[in-house]
């Protein structure tokens, strides 16, 4: 059997501190990873995620606003549809 490392769960603060350390050391990922006792690939994943958070936050805000606009337009279209249904029913009875 292969010896597997126990699963470790790192806090958000630990991840943020690790990313800051890489930024301060100007890209010395291997040194930071070795000092923290983590793999370089894990550290690179944290760096990639930290850069993506700011972009996704901005995107989610614009998406939320877009959804609100679309919901308003949908409500207006449904109201117009209901009015037209009533008008068609009214004029159909006259004939």
């Amino acid at each position: 059997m292969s010896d597997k490392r126990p699963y470790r769960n790192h806090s958000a603060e630990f991840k943020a501190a690790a990313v800051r350390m890489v930024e301060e050391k100007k890209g010395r990922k291997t040194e930071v990873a070795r000092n923290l006792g983590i793999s370089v690939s894990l550290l690179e994943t944290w760096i990639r995620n930290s850069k993506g958070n700011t972009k996704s936050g901005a995107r989610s805000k614009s998406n939320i606003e877009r959804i609100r606009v679309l919901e308003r337009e949908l409500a207006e279209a449904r109201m117009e549809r209901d009015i037209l249904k009533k008008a068609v029913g009214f004029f159909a009875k006259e004939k």
Side-chain angles (χ1 to χ4, degrees):
M1 284 191 192
S2 65
D3 295 327
K4 290 187 176 183
R5 287 185 178 175
Y7 181 77
R8 295 187 300 177
N9 192 9
H10 300 284
S11 68
E13 294 83 19
F14 181 81
K15 294 175 185 180
V19 171
R20 267 187 264 119
M21 289 172 71
V22 170
E23 291 170 354
E24 290 170 1
K25 297 245 184 201
K26 305 280 191 238
R28 302 280 297 176
K29 297 175 198 169
T30 54
E31 183 181 331
V32 172
R34 191 177 309 120
N35 290 340
L36 295 175
I38 59 174
S39 68
V40 176
S41 62
L42 179 61
L43 182 58
E44 288 173 344
T45 301
W46 294 348
I47 293 168
R48 199 172 30 251
N49 289 343
S50 72
K51 291 178 182 176
N53 285 344
T54 57
K55 292 178 184 176
S56 67
R59 268 191 241 132
S60 66
K61 287 181 183 179
S62 66
N63 283 343
I64 290 171
E65 183 59 33
R66 184 170 179 256
I67 290 170
R68 286 181 184 150
V69 168
L70 292 173
E71 285 176 341
R72 276 187 242 123
E73 289 177 4
L74 178 61
E76 185 177 331
R78 284 180 175 165
M79 186 175 61
E80 290 172 354
R81 179 201 61 194
D82 292 342
I83 291 171
L84 289 172
K85 276 184 180 180
K86 290 178 184 178
V88 167
F90 176 75
F91 288 115
K93 287 180 184 177
E94 286 185 359
K95 291 185 177 186

